Amino acid sequence: MNSLFDPIQVGAMALTNRTVMAPLTRNRAPGAVPTPLMVTYYAQRASAGLLITEATAISHQGQGYSDVPGLYAPEQIAGWKPVTQAVHEAGGKIVVQLWHVGRVSHTELQPGQAAPVAPSAIRANTKTVLIRDGAPTFVDTSEPRALELSELPGIVQDYRLAALAAVEAGFDGVEIHAANGYLIDQFLKTGSNQRSDAYGGSIENRARLLLEVVAAVTDAIGGARTGIRLSPVTPANDVVDADPQPLFDHVLRQLASHPLAYLHFIEGATGGPREVPDRPFDYAALQQSYRAAGGRAAWMVNNGYDLPLATTALAEGADLVAFGRPFIANPDLVQRLRQGGPFNTPDRATFYGGGAAGYTDYPALAH
Ligand code: 8OZ
């Protein structure tokens, strides 16, 4: 039986273990440029089998929060290079999460203070984070405008360019963020997509943007360096689909014909309960359907895992387990899981924004 501490080959990446650091937004990149403090933060956590960076904007339009990093300008690529170098020197692997927030943004963050973009002009009943006077402030998202059909190829192209930039910055690969109510998830789900063109209506149409992005990214850098994050039933950022099981069944059957490194699932509500009331979902059936269609990517699970739950998941067919908040507080989480603790407690007050406090100052165990 596989344990969290066994190595695994995931696409082009040889991982030393199956413990993954989940993507975690930390809002410590002023001007969207990665900093030396971020180099320290990621390098401290390099004993994870795989690090997935915090969500990273593929374009200025794709940004929805203050001080999150980007990967579309030369200074951003230059800022990421020492991160990937330090992680590799410490023996780790790192992929960057490619992000377009769609409607989860604010005019203050958009080019020319324009309205954020979305499949349809439906505001998300959710908040975004603006850093004001150095402190995170939660504000309502702005009213979005519906994207023109003619704008979609440009967005797909932004994903392609960001994937190429990721390779240039030294990343081992990318994760396409298609979860948590951001642009791709907004297109997938009925509550946020009321389009009447080729990108709305039927399941096939709502899945079109995701599949075009996957095709562009894998064409640019190879499926062996590409993962995807999905959250079939999360209520995060006010998304909902009327019938998620057949939607995701279609998505996975389509993905089965692309070589991919991994598929990453947030089970239940992001950062919350693993079961969402009135939104049942059968992940095992989804995996079966994907495998039956010939899909071979590694299966990564996430949300509220501890060692016993992770061990059960691996026994039941998961290949990788992603941990979020435990990695904030425990840079050497793999070692701590191995020896049964102890675990530092994450401090919510320093999750978003700020400096080294609550970021790079959580202690590792003495060796
Ligand atoms: C927390 C705060 C801001 C953004 C996600 C990128 O949920 C995020 C995010 C999380 O995927």
Side-chain angles (χ1 to χ4, degrees), residues 25 27 55 65 97 99 129 177 179-180 182 229 236-237 270 352:
T25 289
N27 307 77
Y65 302 78
Q97 195 192 43
W99 194 26
V129 181
H177 193 351
N180 293 347
Y182 297 110
R229 195 176 210 210
N237 291 316
T270 311
Y352 308 118

Side-chain angles (χ1 to χ4, degrees), residues 29-272:
V33 177
T35 66
L37 197 59
M38 289 167 62
V39 177
T40 304
Y41 167 75
Y42 284 108
Q44 285 174 340
R45 287 157 180 76
S47 59
L50 179 66
L51 303 178
I52 305 170
T53 70
E54 61 207 279
T56 297
I58 60 162
S59 62
H60 188 172
Q61 183 193 69
Q63 185 182 344
Y65 302 78
S66 283
D67 298 357
V68 295
L71 188 51
Y72 52 89
E75 64 272 23
Q76 295 164 348
I77 298 171
W80 280 117
K81 277 183 183 167
V83 173
T84 61
Q85 198 175 350
V87 168
H88 291 151
E89 276 166 13
K93 301 281 184 204
I94 182 165
V95 299
V96 59
Q97 195 192 43
L98 301 185
W99 194 26
H100 190 307
V101 295
R103 66 181 184 168
V104 185
S105 188
H106 192 278
T107 51
E108 268 185 44
L109 298 165
Q110 289 290 305
Q113 269 80 68
V117 299
S120 302
I122 306 166
R123 200 184 75 81
N125 185 17
T126 188
K127 306 270 183 195
T128 180
V129 181
L130 300 179
I131 309 280
R132 289 197 164 130
D133 302 323
T137 312
F138 290 85
V139 298
D140 285 342
T141 55
S142 303
E143 193 77 34
R145 72 170 175 88
L147 282 159
E148 303 287 342
L149 193 59
S150 60
E151 292 176 279
L152 298 179
I155 290 180
V156 173
Q157 175 70 357
D158 287 340
Y159 278 96
R160 175 194 290 272
L161 294 175
L164 292 170
V167 171
E168 189 187 339
F171 286 105
D172 297 288
V174 305
E175 174 174 288
I176 297 167
H177 193 351
N180 293 347
Y182 297 110
L183 184 70
I184 294 173
D185 205 21
Q186 290 157 30
F187 269 86
L188 286 173
K189 292 176 179 169
T190 52
S192 42
N193 184 343
Q194 296 183 356
R195 299 179 74 92
S196 52
D197 59 14
Y199 292 81
S202 67
I203 282 175
E204 289 75 11
N205 283 356
R206 283 182 277 124
R208 194 176 307 281
L209 181 67
L210 169 58
L211 296 173
E212 288 179 356
V213 169
V214 170
V217 168
T218 57
D219 177 62
I221 68 166
R225 300 185 179 283
T226 305
I228 301 175
R229 195 176 210 210
L230 298 164
S231 56
V233 294
T234 191
N237 291 316
D238 196 24
V239 280
V240 63
D241 189 73
D243 203 2
Q245 197 82 42
L247 168 64
F248 283 89
D249 194 70
H250 168 76
V251 167
L252 263 73
R253 283 171 181 279
Q254 294 299 306
L255 292 178
S257 55
H258 286 271
L260 289 169
Y262 68 83
L263 298 175
H264 180 182
F265 289 91
I266 301 166
E267 298 163 329
T270 311

